[in-house]
């Protein structure tokens, strides 16, 4: 998952996202909540085709889905939202909804969300002083408490850190600066997504009636 930040995107936000998608990113969270709605809508309209072409998801931060008006001839695009821990509760009934969580109390408030992000895993330049960082141990502890799949977020910049998050139980890894600030976003995305998929393949398979008897 890539979170956007136009202030640090080298070469423009849309260009960075396009190269990140070429490098393997499949979920993009459009933040930029300080922009007027019309400008955010325009960004959403530019980004959606990039994700649709690879069966990915553009996820809009906040309860406003920024749907095009009028709806395109093929029908409305999937509605995916990422909400803050503060609300709204319950979340809107949409195709995909996630929420930012940071501790057990916030996880206990979940209702119909599809996933959560858990942060900050590590100290982060995007939100300095926000924490304390969970580290791998704290991340694993919250993942065990989460009723829905969890993505790791915050300060993750290297393949080794990606692997550590997967080993802690994360089903995905969310990054911002590691790709947004990268001189080559496609290569940065490829390195991180490659490490993620390799780590997933190396995770032990659950013991089942089939695997139990394998030698």
């Amino acid at each position: 998952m890539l979170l956007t930040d136009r202030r640090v995107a080298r070469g423009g936000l849309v260009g960075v996202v396009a190269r990140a998608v070429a490098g393997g990113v499949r979920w993009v969270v459009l933040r930029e909540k300080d922009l007027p709605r019309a400008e955010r809508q325009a960004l959403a309209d530019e980004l959606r085709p990039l994700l649709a072409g690879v069966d990915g998801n553009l996820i809009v931060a906040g309860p406003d889905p920024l749907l095009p008006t009028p709806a395109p001839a093929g029908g409305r695009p999937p509605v995916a939202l990422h909400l803050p821990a503060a609300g709204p509760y319950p979340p809107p009934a949409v195709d995909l909804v996630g929420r930012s969580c940071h501790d057990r109390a916030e996880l206990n408030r979940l209702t119909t969300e599809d996933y959560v992000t858990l942060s900050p895993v590590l100290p982060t330049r995007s939100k300095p002083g926000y924490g304390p960082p969970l580290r791998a141990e704290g991340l694993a502890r919250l993942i065990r408490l989460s009723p829905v799949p969890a993505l790791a977020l915050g300060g993750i910049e290297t393949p080794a850190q990606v692997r550590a998050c997967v080993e802690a139980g994360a089903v995905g890894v969310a990054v911002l600066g590691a790709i947004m600030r990268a001189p080559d976003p496609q290569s940065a995305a490829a390195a991180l997504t490659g490490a993620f998929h390799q780590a997933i393949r190396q995770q032990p398979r659950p013991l089942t009636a089939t695997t139990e008897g394998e030698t």
Side-chain angles (χ1 to χ4, degrees), residues 162-182:
V162 168
R163 288 191 291 270
C165 291
V166 173
E167 290 166 3
V171 301
V173 176
V175 303
L176 189 156
I179 293 176
M180 283 279 140
R181 295 187 181 96

Side-chain angles (χ1 to χ4, degrees), residues 89 99 101 106-113 116 146-148:
Y89 289 92
R99 191 178 298 278
C101 289
E106 291 174 353
L107 288 172
N108 288 341
R109 296 182 66 188
L110 297 175
T111 54
T112 59
E113 290 83 354
V116 294
S146 178
V148 295

